Amino acid sequence: MAFMEKPPAGKVLLDDTVPLTAQIEASQSLHSHTEYIIRVQRGVSAENSWQIVRRYSDFDLLNNSLQISTLSLPLPPKKLIGNMEREFIAERQKGLQAYLDVITTHHILSNCEVVKKFLDPNSYSVNYTEIALQHVSMFFRSEPKWEVVEPLKDIGWRIRKKYFLMKIKNQPKERLVLSWADLGPDKYLSDKDLQYAVKLLSSCSHPYIYKVTFAIANESSALVIRPFSEKGTLKDLIYKAKPKEPFLKKYCNPKKIQGLELQQIKTYGRQILEVLKFLHEKGFPYGHLHSANVMLDGDTCKLLDLENSLLGLPSFYRSYFSQFRKINTLEGVDVHCFGHLLFEMTYGRPPDTIPVESFAPAPSVFVVSVLESILTCEAMKNGMPTVSRLLQMPLFSDVLLTNSEKPQFKVPTKLKEALKISKECIEKRLTEEQKLFHQHRRLTRAQSHHGSEEEKKKRKILARKKSKRSAYESGEEHSAKYSNSNNSGSGASSPLTSPSSPTPPSTSGIKFTASDLLPIPFNTLF
């Protein structure tokens, strides 16, 4: 069933997780307002950049859209009188730059649609909610038993993935959630293999994988239906959020920051590691672990969105692990993402920076031990531990799993081979991106070192020494020429004289003493 048009051949699929940076290059005053010229860059390549022009009113509209996050953002205040004065414009430009720096470095804000549209209007001009509605409607024409209850607006972080609350017409009280997603830049399966793999998801049965009711894909997108849980995800539990609310509202600025109990951390962590191990053994790539992709069913964690890797969607934490060359496999990616999730469960919030330099007191030293093995600078340099190694660590090794459901997920040999090739392609793109980032970081460090005050001072000292050496050599050469000119007559060679011989009379009548023939001191030349 084709519920969406096929994208043009050779279409470049954008990776929405690649960070955008923005630098205000200049301002220009027109008759009644000021425009700010902004250079926006995607990733580390200066060639992948463009200019946009924005007024203060544009910033104000953006800021109003971000108020749902309840974050206190540093937008400079409005000014009605004197807002065209040169000093005020310069000061406002500094404030607007600080505002851009905040929203482009905040992990959730930088990935939201309004910020992307503000900085890159050409790439984000499409209304994906309308497109999703059209495709879902086309799907229902051939599947009339389903019915949309309401759109679940912005409950996820992805720009190109939309959600709808559903029901089955003959079971009106049962609620389900439908997700529609566009294909991503890591889609390497053939259309035939993709459609087969997505359809296979509904046959997967595992105590720690959330059940898929229905799944279908075509050459350009996919549609998946699951039961709706009023309890929500693990992230909803940590942030005490309501599942139906927008992502920005739920998770940007929690009212109360509090981690989970130690037993919850141990049990949930063990369950998640068990399902990751299961998927790796099946040769099924994941790479999309985060707390909003873990559904709670009583005291059991169940993994969501297995289709993401099949569709080629980039990971929520990609902008973090793409900086570290040792995290170059999907298992390494899963372990790194598990570190983020464990940190959230422990402290009730995401880490401020990656790598993490030090850890606050935790409910157990064993928690810190696991975190140190994943999120520290040393871990990033040496590589991630395996999932099997994490399961053997004291924090998880003594957890008793009571669920007796036998996992069932039969992946045909031919599809396994296609999944293996797809996984290798995903890892290759990640490695190439990490290489570019590493080269950029080395260049930036070299430029920073070259421009440091200490380095400038060293260069000044070396230049001064070189100048003195050059001047000294020039002085010696001048002295030698001066001496030779006094020893020569009118161009003819003079006979050598011994020290005891009298000084020949000068034709000018001036007599020279021995001291007059000594080299001229260096400091008298300059």
Side-chain angles (χ1 to χ4, degrees), residues 65-70 108 112 150-158 162-163 235-236 239-253 292:
S65 300
L66 297 177
Q67 290 305 300
I68 192 172
S69 69
T70 71
I108 295 179
C112 76
E150 62 176 317
L152 298 172
K153 190 178 179 183
D154 300 328
I155 66 165
W157 68 276
R158 292 187 187 277
K162 301 301 176 182
Y163 299 85
K235 200 173 187 79
D236 293 325
Y239 289 76
K240 299 170 179 60
K242 297 177 181 178
K244 291 183 182 179
E245 290 185 337
F247 202 87
L248 291 185
K249 184 177 181 180
K250 289 188 289 188
Y251 308 132
C252 272
N253 190 25

Side-chain angles (χ1 to χ4, degrees), residues 46 80 138 155 211 227 275 277 285 345 356 362 423 437 442 455 461 501:
L80 298 177
M138 291 174 69
I155 66 165
K211 179 67 178 173
V275 70
K277 183 183 177 185
M345 288 198 294
V356 179
K423 173 178 172 289
F437 185 89
R442 288 181 63 182
E455 191 64 19
I461 292 171
S501 304

